[in-house]
């Protein structure tokens, strides 16, 4: 009797065809931001425009190339939370802001303006142990706790904001150079998806042009990051320098691959970072397609000078850079300062009512 032929079955045969889903190379707003940021254009805060009330501090920031102002708003929220919002000062029409996620309007804490150096603004909460240091040129915000910088915002200069536009089918070359943030030749418009984006049989028409946003956060002393579900990846988030960014986009994926950064069933733009003595969180309140890049710089020790028989050394703390990019909406981010894991969970629950009854 002939031996039965053993059929080989591979799990890979049932894995999802990734070609039917977009990766970073297929996402136009990712390509646009990468191209524009390579030009090293910077934003500047106009500190002479600062206005303060009981709820927030507002000021203009402007790009040195486009000269179109944005409006930044910093709020202190009860429970050691800071909120940063950036929007167009005079948008063509209201940009989308996420409803129904926050349980109610957060209870604010009045921020006190402290004396700072020329070209900077210092905002402190009532207790004085948490401060926001705003640097004007280039624009940067440092969150400081007990004289130690915990989070730096825009320290890499990756703030990106596309303004809504009126569609002009015929634009003169000179007008393109003055108003567009990227090369808007016909070929490049199609490649960068400025007014129309295609993937497979799907076509996305953008009546008011591109409207993506982006911002970077540097987490000082942190190497262990978690969150931004849902991905079939390791619990600790990995560096993305050697591959795709983490994608936040709700997809019903059958047969998804493990150890992969593609988005699957859920999309929660909430990231945790932990180190000895402190845990913090970043809640990026944006419902559109979002990409998150992570790059960790480990702690190093290097020689400064030769001092007699012993070389003087300086230890540089590790830090992790987190770059958020979203397809549309506004920049609306909550910084949960902890300092303990339990504190961070309470802060997030306070905002979203997760786990609170």
């Amino acid at each position: 009797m002939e031996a039965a032929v053993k059929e080989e079955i591979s799990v890979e045969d049932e894995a999802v065809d990734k070609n039917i889903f977009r990766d970073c190379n297929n996402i136009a707003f990712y390509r646009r931001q990468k191209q524009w940021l390579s030009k090293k254009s910077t934003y500047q805060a106009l500190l002479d425009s600062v206005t303060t009330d009981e709820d927030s501090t507002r000021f203009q920031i402007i790009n040195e190339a486009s000269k179109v102002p944005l409006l930044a708003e910093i709020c202190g929220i009860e429970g050691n939370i800071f909120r940063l919002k950036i929007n167009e000062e005079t948008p063509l029409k209201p940009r989308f802001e996420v409803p129904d996620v926050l349980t109610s309007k957060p209870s604010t804490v009045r921020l006190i303006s402290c004396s700072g150096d020329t070209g900077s603004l210092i905002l402190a909460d009532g207790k004085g142990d948490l401060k926001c240091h705003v640097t004007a040129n280039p624009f940067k915000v440092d969150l400081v706790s007990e004289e130690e910088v915990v989070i730096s915002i825009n320290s890499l200069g990756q703030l990106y904001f596309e303004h809504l536009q009126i569609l002009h089918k015929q634009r003169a070359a000179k007008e393109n150079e003055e108003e567009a943030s990227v090369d808007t030749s016909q070929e490049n418009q199609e490649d960068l998806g400025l007014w129309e984006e295609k993937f497979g049989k799907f076509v996305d028409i953008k009546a008011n042009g591109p409207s993506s946003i982006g911002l970077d956060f540097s987490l000082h002393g942190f190497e262990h990051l978690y969150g931004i579900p849902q991905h079939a990846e390791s619990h600790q988030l990995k560096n993305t320098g050697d591959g795709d960014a983490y994608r936040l986009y709700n997809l019903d994926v059958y047969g998804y691959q493990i150890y992969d950064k593609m988005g699957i069933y859920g999309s929660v733009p909430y990231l945790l970072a932990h180190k000895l003595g402190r845990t913090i969180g970043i809640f990026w309140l944006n419902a559109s397609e979002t990409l998150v890049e992570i790059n960790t710089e480990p702690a190093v020790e290097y020689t400064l000078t030769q001092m007699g028989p012993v070389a003087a050394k300086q230890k540089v703390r590790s830090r992790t850079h987190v770059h958020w990019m979203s397809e549309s909406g506004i920049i609306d981010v909550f910084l949960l300062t902890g300092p303990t894991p339990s504190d961070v969970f309470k802060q997030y629950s306070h905002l979203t009512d997760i786990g609170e009854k």
Side-chain angles (χ1 to χ4, degrees):
M1 187 174 180
E2 294 184 5
V5 178
K6 186 176 181 180
E7 182 180 0
E8 293 186 359
I9 300 177
S10 170
V11 176
E12 291 292 329
D13 295 337
E14 298 184 5
V16 66
D17 179 6
K18 293 188 67 175
N19 291 323
I20 66 176
F21 299 104
R22 300 199 301 174
D23 58 21
C24 288
N25 293 327
N26 304 126
I27 298 174
F29 74 83
Y30 176 83
R31 298 197 305 272
R32 290 197 304 272
Q33 294 205 26
K34 287 298 184 179
Q35 182 187 91
W36 179 240
L37 292 173
S38 66
K39 299 178 181 180
K40 302 294 184 182
S41 180
T42 58
Y43 280 86
Q44 176 180 352
L46 304 181
L47 297 185
D48 56 357
S49 67
V50 172
T51 59
T52 302
D53 57 30
E54 291 186 358
D55 292 329
S56 65
T57 298
R58 299 179 180 88
F59 52 89
Q60 290 180 333
I61 54 178
I62 192 166
N63 183 274
E64 63 180 14
S66 67
K67 305 300 183 183
V68 180
L70 298 172
L71 183 63
E73 180 180 6
I74 297 177
C75 304
I77 298 175
E78 287 184 358
N80 292 335
I81 303 170
F82 282 89
R83 184 181 193 179
L84 171 66
K85 296 180 71 174
I86 301 178
N87 197 356
E88 294 187 60
E89 186 174 43
T90 54
L92 184 65
K93 63 182 182 181
R95 297 176 69 110
F96 182 74
E97 298 188 39
V98 179
D100 305 325
V101 172
L102 303 180
T103 55
S104 60
K105 183 179 179 180
S107 299
T108 58
V109 176
R110 186 179 180 90
L111 297 178
I112 302 170
S113 179
C114 305
S115 58
D117 298 332
T118 303
S120 68
L121 171 68
I122 300 177
L123 302 172
D125 64 3
K127 300 176 183 178
D129 55 347
L130 285 172
K131 298 178 181 178
C132 274
H133 290 225
V134 180
T135 302
N137 192 18
F139 170 62
K140 183 180 71 164
V141 178
D142 290 320
L143 181 62
V144 179
S145 174
E146 298 178 352
E147 306 307 320
E148 177 184 352
V149 178
V150 179
I151 304 174
S152 294
I153 301 175
N154 201 44
S155 62
L156 300 183
Q158 293 178 329
L159 171 58
Y160 185 90
F161 208 104
E162 292 177 325
H163 298 265
L164 301 180
Q165 305 172 59
I166 298 174
L167 175 61
H168 296 292
K169 293 184 178 180
Q170 301 293 332
R171 291 190 177 191
K174 182 176 180 181
E175 185 179 0
N176 279 338
E177 292 175 3
E178 293 176 348
E179 296 186 0
S181 62
V182 293
D183 177 13
T184 53
S185 65
Q186 184 65 31
E187 180 180 354
N188 212 45
Q189 282 193 37
E190 295 176 359
D191 179 59
L192 295 177
L194 295 177
W195 298 94
E196 179 180 288
E197 186 174 355
K198 299 178 181 178
F199 182 73
K201 63 180 180 180
F202 300 99
V203 180
D204 180 17
I205 304 296
K206 303 171 184 178
N208 296 114
S211 57
S212 75
I213 58 173
L215 189 61
D216 65 271
F217 300 79
S218 296
L219 314 181
H220 298 273
F222 295 89
E223 295 185 36
H224 304 285
L225 274 63
Y226 310 91
I228 55 173
Q230 188 176 26
H231 306 89
E233 250 290 7
S234 60
H235 180 49
Q236 181 175 333
L237 301 177
K238 297 179 179 178
N239 280 4
T240 59
D242 57 350
D244 273 351
Y246 285 94
R247 186 185 185 201
L248 295 175
Y249 191 75
N250 292 350
L251 294 170
D252 187 2
V253 184
Y254 174 78
Y256 55 80
Q257 296 182 12
I258 61 173
Y259 304 114
D260 195 289
K261 298 182 182 69
M262 73 178 297
I264 48 177
Y265 300 105
S267 175
V268 184
Y270 170 48
L271 181 144
L272 294 169
H274 176 73
K275 67 177 180 179
L276 184 64
R278 182 175 284 274
T279 302
I280 59 174
I282 297 176
F283 179 34
W284 178 266
L285 186 54
N286 191 294
S288 67
E289 180 176 7
T290 297
L291 299 171
V292 183
E293 290 185 324
I294 296 172
N295 179 34
T296 299
E297 297 178 357
V300 295
E301 192 172 86
Y302 62 92
T303 300
L304 290 177
T305 57
Q306 190 71 29
M307 304 286 290
V310 181
K313 293 185 178 180
Q314 179 175 348
K315 187 174 182 179
V316 178
R317 287 193 305 164
S318 60
R319 61 179 177 174
T320 298
H321 306 293
V322 183
H323 183 197
W324 298 76
M325 294 166 278
S326 293
E327 185 177 21
S328 61
I330 69 168
I331 293 174
D332 190 0
V333 60
F334 295 83
L335 305 178
L336 316 179
T337 66
T340 69
S342 177
D343 291 330
V344 171
F345 299 149
K346 289 178 181 177
Q347 289 157 359
Y348 183 64
S349 298
H350 175 70
L351 293 172
T352 63
D353 201 30
I354 299 299
E356 285 195 347
K357 296 296 180 184

